[in-house]
Amino acid sequence: MATEDEPPSQPDIAAMLTNQTSACKPAREAIAGAEVRLLDREVPHWMVAGIAAARLRRSLARGLQETIGLDETVEILARHRGEQLRTGIIDAADRLWSFTLYFDATGTELLACSGVKRSRRPSTKDSFEP
């Protein structure tokens, strides 16, 4: 039994990643060995949805980043206007993909998940040496 001094247990994120968006399966596969961070505060819908929509517009306009489930996420978040939401991040162990998780205000229901492939920055060993 938990006491007031104990932090709340972290939800089973892998179990929550069902089929909300097309990014759920890749996020579930990436979770092993990944860094998972859940924000412990609620934020207004307009903030979360605005960031997701802006990210989608930029990725479509520039075509620079590969995304998964971002368009679906924007549609899902639109159905939750006026609500408080929570977010989380999964940074894959290989650092190639980052997934954003969108929860209800209690953090018990996963609403959506989107992923973005990071551009690979060359390391010093990858640089050209004559």
Side-chain angles (χ1 to χ4, degrees):
M1 181 171 195
T3 65
E4 287 184 34
D5 295 336
E6 293 178 19
S9 62
Q10 186 165 326
D12 183 358
I13 302 298
M16 296 173 91
L17 287 162
T18 54
N19 291 315
Q20 294 89 343
T21 69
S22 56
C24 290
K25 184 177 185 230
R28 194 172 48 249
E29 292 168 354
I31 209 163
E35 180 182 345
V36 180
R37 296 182 310 271
L38 300 178
L39 296 179
D40 61 353
R41 63 183 178 95
E42 299 173 19
V43 293
H45 164 270
W46 62 265
M47 185 182 296
V48 174
I51 291 169
R55 186 174 289 150
L56 178 60
R57 282 192 305 274
R58 277 193 311 274
S59 68
L60 292 173
R62 294 182 185 164
L64 297 177
Q65 292 182 315
E66 185 179 341
T67 63
I68 302 173
L70 189 53
D71 52 344
E72 299 162 278
T73 293
V74 170
E75 290 176 22
I76 290 168
L77 292 177
R79 297 192 296 256
H80 294 274
R81 265 186 230 293
E83 297 179 22
Q84 294 288 102
L85 303 173
R86 292 180 188 257
T87 58
I89 301 288
I90 299 171
D91 286 322
D94 63 7
R95 309 305 266 177
L96 289 178
W97 282 90
S98 180
F99 298 92
T100 304
L101 308 170
Y102 303 89
F103 298 92
D104 67 350
T106 64
T108 57
E109 181 185 357
L110 181 68
L111 305 174
C113 173
S114 63
V116 63
K117 187 173 186 178
R118 297 178 179 175
S119 59
R120 184 170 177 251
R121 293 190 178 125
S123 67
T124 54
K125 67 178 181 181
D126 292 338
S127 61
F128 175 74
E129 294 182 31

